[in-house]
Amino acid sequence: MTEHTQQTDPQGRLKHFLTTEGLNHTLLTSILDHAENFAGVENRPVKKVPLLRGKTVVNLFFEASTRTRTTFELAAKRLSADVLNLNIATSATSKGETLRDTLRTLEAMHCDMFIVRHANSGAAHYITTQVAPHISVINAGDGRHAHPTQAMLDMFTIRKHKGDFAPLKVAIVGDISHSRVARSEIHALNTLGVTEVRVVGPATLIPKDVESLGVHVFNDMSAGLEGVDVVMMLRLQRERMSDALLPSAHEFFNRYGLTEKRLKVAKKDAIVMHPGPINRGVEIESNIADSSRSVILQQVSHGIAVRMAVMAMCMQGNTEGIES
Ligand code: CP
């Protein structure tokens, strides 16, 4: 069984959202279109729609997060769901309770959806095999495997600024090897039909077989940024590095940090993206991060509408419809 069939029900509707890999153009575009509708909710006097009223969503974050956890919580609340935030550090996990037993405990409270972040690749998929059939699981980042809602909020941001995906050249810069975001972005960008996806960084931080994902590899920053429409910067994910792959952050900035000078070779209207958290002076210069070219904070805002769309679509089989 492929990940695609595991994520969709027999009618082809989203049931879980674990990865962008294998999902087709229609489904990814549908997420963006639904997010467009949900984006209007924040401008209403009452920022809520009743779509998930009576449903219970559990935020299950075994790894640190600011953006993803809070925007999932806001998204669930704007859909009128009840939200539980399990604090793993103070939960019974610290007393030795297994993940399986934690899931069973939460299931006994009649929860409908788990939003999962975990250090282990495949954790969200594992959870789909352990929970009752009516429960949807959304991957909020698993190891270096996938971060599909981040990819979709980035696609939403790109579509807002550039319209059509087809003519675009996109450079993803930095620590590709340890990045779940990069993998999810590459699959989504290729499925949505961009002209070219480039990965740019030192050979030590680019997986050997990455070209099989449909990208071009550049070890030289200037060559990699030449003529691109979108520059997507990534931080060094030291928490997932087992070896000393880099001499120093200072040296990394000297070769791969995004500066005003380096950005000059990209298209004049190129946008600068970063999933966050940013490390100023390591992968990106402060004045670029805070410039009008930067859409970093827009990415955060778009996360709410995109996560509302994904949650609503995953619950589609359990709700009347997903019109907002
Ligand atoms: N982009 C992202 O996943 O950020 P957080 O770790 O703050 O959720």
Side-chain angles (χ1 to χ4, degrees):
M1 191 182 277
T2 66
E3 279 189 303
H4 180 88
T5 53
Q6 288 165 348
Q7 293 190 94
T8 52
D9 69 11
Q11 287 77 42
R13 295 177 303 197
L14 208 55
K15 164 72 182 164
H16 306 293
F17 194 40
L18 307 177
T19 169
T20 52
E21 184 177 5
L23 294 181
N24 63 33
H25 186 279
T26 305
L27 193 43
L28 295 189
T29 303
S30 177
I31 292 172
L32 300 181
D33 292 343
H34 283 303
E36 200 71 61
N37 289 335
F38 285 123
V41 173
E42 68 189 7
N43 299 319
R44 297 180 187 177
V46 178
K47 299 181 183 62
K48 272 188 189 290
V49 288
L51 203 59
L52 296 193
R53 190 166 52 198
K55 303 290 180 192
T56 303
V57 173
V58 183
N59 265 332
L60 208 48
F61 278 60
F62 293 87
E63 245 193 11
S65 167
T66 296
R67 282 146 284 268
T68 312
R69 200 201 61 71
T70 51
T71 53
F72 262 117
E73 180 174 353
L74 264 183
K77 286 178 171 171
R78 287 188 184 172
L79 291 167
S80 304
D82 295 317
V83 185
L84 291 179
N85 288 301
L86 193 70
N87 184 341
I88 299 299
T90 56
S91 75
T93 303
S94 63
K95 298 179 193 166
E97 185 173 73
T98 64
L99 175 57
R100 196 155 176 260
D101 285 329
T102 301
L103 293 171
R104 294 207 160 170
T105 303
L106 292 166
E107 246 188 272
M109 300 174 202
H110 304 286
C111 298
D112 300 285
M113 182 178 283
F114 290 129
I115 314 295
V116 182
R117 171 167 290 190
H118 203 286
N120 293 341
S121 298
H125 175 259
Y126 168 76
I127 289 172
T128 65
T129 68
Q130 300 299 313
V131 295
H134 76 277
I135 293 179
S136 289
V137 179
I138 299 180
N139 183 4
D142 62 329
R144 60 173 82 180
H145 172 236
H147 193 350
T149 57
Q150 178 69 47
M152 293 315 296
L153 72 89
D154 290 343
M155 298 306 111
F156 186 82
T157 306
I158 292 172
R159 192 170 81 163
K160 278 265 179 223
H161 283 269
K162 301 292 174 190
D164 187 10
F165 285 99
L168 300 181
K169 293 181 181 176
V170 179
I172 306 175
V173 185
D175 178 5
I176 310 297
S177 286
H178 303 93
S179 175
R180 53 196 175 207
V181 174
R183 277 168 191 73
S184 291
E185 307 276 14
I186 291 167
H187 292 305
L189 287 164
N190 280 327
T191 302
L192 291 169
V194 298
T195 293
E196 186 183 5
V197 183
R198 302 176 182 178
V199 294
V200 184
T204 49
L205 294 180
I206 295 184
K208 297 279 173 281
D209 58 349
V210 74
E211 278 158 327
S212 67
L213 300 180
V215 300
H216 293 128
V217 175
F218 291 78
N219 297 127
D220 179 75
M221 182 80 161
S222 298
L225 296 195
E226 180 77 45
V228 299
D229 303 274
V230 178
V231 181
M232 206 177 271
M233 300 304 299
L234 299 174
R235 74 184 170 89
L236 297 173
Q237 288 133 95
R238 295 186 185 281
E239 71 275 24
R240 287 193 278 280
M241 287 185 194
S242 49
D243 303 311
L245 294 168
L246 285 169
S248 71
H250 180 68
E251 187 169 326
F252 182 81
F253 182 75
N254 284 343
R255 286 196 63 197
Y256 296 101
L258 188 63
T259 61
E260 214 167 308
K261 190 172 166 210
R262 289 215 167 102
L263 191 56
K264 278 193 168 52
V265 299
K267 284 199 180 146
K268 278 195 168 31
D269 63 348
I271 56 170
V272 174
M273 306 182 74
H274 194 309
I278 62 173
N279 290 147
R280 294 169 185 264
V282 181
E283 73 275 4
I284 190 166
E285 200 173 57
S286 256
N287 61 341
I288 293 292
D290 300 331
S291 74
S292 58
R293 312 278 293 270
S294 163
V295 298
I296 295 170
L297 293 178
Q298 292 174 38
Q299 290 171 257
V300 176
S301 302
H302 294 157
I304 301 170
V306 168
R307 289 176 172 129
M308 286 173 80
V310 169
M311 292 165 111
M313 289 172 75
C314 283
M315 295 303 288
Q316 205 172 4
N318 292 343
T319 54
E320 294 285 303
I322 63 165
E323 296 312 311
S324 54

